[in-house]
Amino acid sequence: MIEEALKKTIRVLSLFEMLNNGEIIRKKEAAERFKVSEKTIHRDLKEINIYYSKYKYNTLVNSVAYNRVEKGYFLKVRNT
């Protein structure tokens, strides 16, 4: 159980770091990288989005959004 929790923590923090570095996250690629389902990656991205919406409201980052052209997720920046 602890090992699974550690894997999730590392996965979510890795996705968080990727987004903060301006990377586009594609669910299929991320799922293969972390050896989980695309649904799991989707849930992780939802958790990161909740973090941004509830706790990072004083930053320029608004939310995790989907880019249809790139077919992946990125950090959406507020218009200033």
Side-chain angles (χ1 to χ4, degrees), residues 7-32:
K7 284 181 183 179
K8 179 180 179 179
T9 299
I10 290 169
R11 185 180 67 245
V12 171
L13 288 173
S14 295
L15 292 170
F16 180 81
E17 187 174 321
M18 290 167 69
L19 288 167
N20 280 316
N21 288 334
E23 294 180 44
I24 300 288
I25 295 176
R26 292 172 185 86
K27 287 192 293 186
K28 183 176 181 177
E29 292 170 9
E32 290 172 359

Side-chain angles (χ1 to χ4, degrees), residues 39-68:
K39 183 68 175 172
T40 296
I41 297 299
H42 185 79
R43 287 186 198 116
D44 293 343
L45 291 170
K46 281 179 69 175
E47 289 179 12
I48 293 169
N49 196 34
I50 289 168
Y51 171 75
Y52 273 109
S53 66
K54 290 192 177 205
Y55 302 109
K56 299 294 275 182
Y57 50 84
N58 288 328
T59 67
L60 290 176
V61 174
N62 192 14
S63 63
V64 177
Y66 185 75
N67 181 321
R68 290 176 192 218

